[in-house]
Amino acid sequence: MAATPSTPLVGGAEVRAEARRVENILDAKLVLYARFARGDEKHDRRASSGQGGACGGSDLVGMCGSLDKQPADLEHEIEQLLMQLGEVNDRMSRLYTSSTSVGSGSTSRHVLQRHREILHDLAQEFNKIKTNLKSAEERQELLSTVRANICEHRHSTDMLLRERNALHTCDRLTNDVISNAEATKAALANQRSGEACRAIWG
């Protein structure tokens, strides 16, 4: 019967190990998620082949399963893991509450409070990165729109310049035709005038 009070502590060790495991996975996924917010996703994919980074490629692959993910996929996975960590902490709380072991209450409360603080910090970091990623996507969309407008304006300008050059060429050719016609007319008039003079004075 003396072993009964210590039973929740054995279960508590297992729950703490589960909490640490989920926290480590969340840390790794948040690192990868933050890289998307900074626009480093190409670097992330290079890391998946074993190239370096703040966290080694093999470390991130071990935690995240694959680095070739889209932000929306990571966002969903992180949300699920945060919920899972909250459930683990709730189990830890129930386990420690049911414990009758004398002297372990203060330590258990401290451990539980620490894990709750970690969950709070992870959730805050996730929301911060999520906001930054949304801002980056909106900025990229704005830049794409501006580039498209610039390209459209440049295309319109090029078309106007081509039309102007075509009109200029057409005007020049028309002027050349008119000049040639006038020269021919003058030459014919001079020729007829000469022939008339020769007829009179011939």
Side-chain angles (χ1 to χ4, degrees):
M1 296 297 293
T4 301
S6 64
T7 301
L9 298 181
V10 175
E14 295 173 352
V15 175
R16 288 196 302 274
E18 174 66 9
R20 287 192 297 270
R21 185 186 71 83
V22 178
E23 288 164 0
N24 289 335
I25 295 174
L26 272 167
D27 275 331
K29 287 185 180 290
L30 284 172
V31 168
L32 183 56
Y33 192 49
R35 289 180 179 179
F36 276 104
R38 295 195 304 268
D40 297 340
E41 61 270 23
K42 291 182 179 179
H43 172 77
D44 297 331
R45 291 187 174 89
R46 288 198 301 270
S48 67
S49 61
Q51 299 180 17
C55 290
S58 59
D59 294 335
L60 283 176
V61 170
M63 291 293 181
C64 300
S66 171
L67 295 180
D68 191 16
K69 293 178 180 292
Q70 296 300 316
D73 298 329
L74 273 172
E75 183 178 315
H76 176 72
E77 291 174 5
I78 292 171
E79 288 172 346
Q80 294 298 315
L81 284 166
L82 288 171
M83 291 177 59
Q84 181 180 344
L85 184 56
E87 292 170 356
V88 172
N89 286 348
D90 288 343
R91 289 208 312 272
M92 191 185 303
S93 176
R94 290 193 296 271
L95 195 62
Y96 287 151
T97 300
S98 65
S99 173
T100 58
S101 177
V102 178
S104 66
S106 177
T107 301
S108 299
R109 285 193 299 272
H110 176 75
V111 170
L112 177 60
Q113 180 61 28
R114 179 57 188 150
H115 282 289
R116 284 175 170 169
E117 289 173 355
I118 292 173
L119 173 58
H120 176 74
D121 291 343
L122 290 170
Q124 277 196 326
E125 182 67 13
F126 171 62
N127 290 330
K128 177 182 176 181
I129 297 171
K130 185 177 179 180
T131 299
N132 291 340
L133 181 58
K134 183 178 180 181
S135 298
E137 290 173 344
E138 290 174 349
R139 183 167 59 252
Q140 185 60 38
E141 183 178 350
L142 178 60
L143 287 174
S144 298
T145 301
V146 171
R147 290 192 190 102
N149 290 337
I150 291 174
C151 289
E152 183 179 354
H153 175 72
R154 186 173 298 168
H155 177 69
S156 299
T157 302
D158 290 342
M159 288 185 63
L160 288 173
L161 288 175
R162 285 196 296 269
E163 290 177 0
R164 181 180 298 176
N165 290 335
L167 288 172
H168 178 72
T169 301
C170 183
D171 288 342
R172 182 169 52 81
L173 291 174
T174 301
N175 290 333
D176 289 344
V177 170
I178 292 173
S179 297
N180 291 333
E182 290 177 344
T184 301
K185 180 180 179 181
L188 290 173
N190 289 335
Q191 182 179 355
R192 285 196 298 269
S193 177
E195 291 175 351
C197 288
R198 284 194 297 271
I200 293 172
W201 300 104

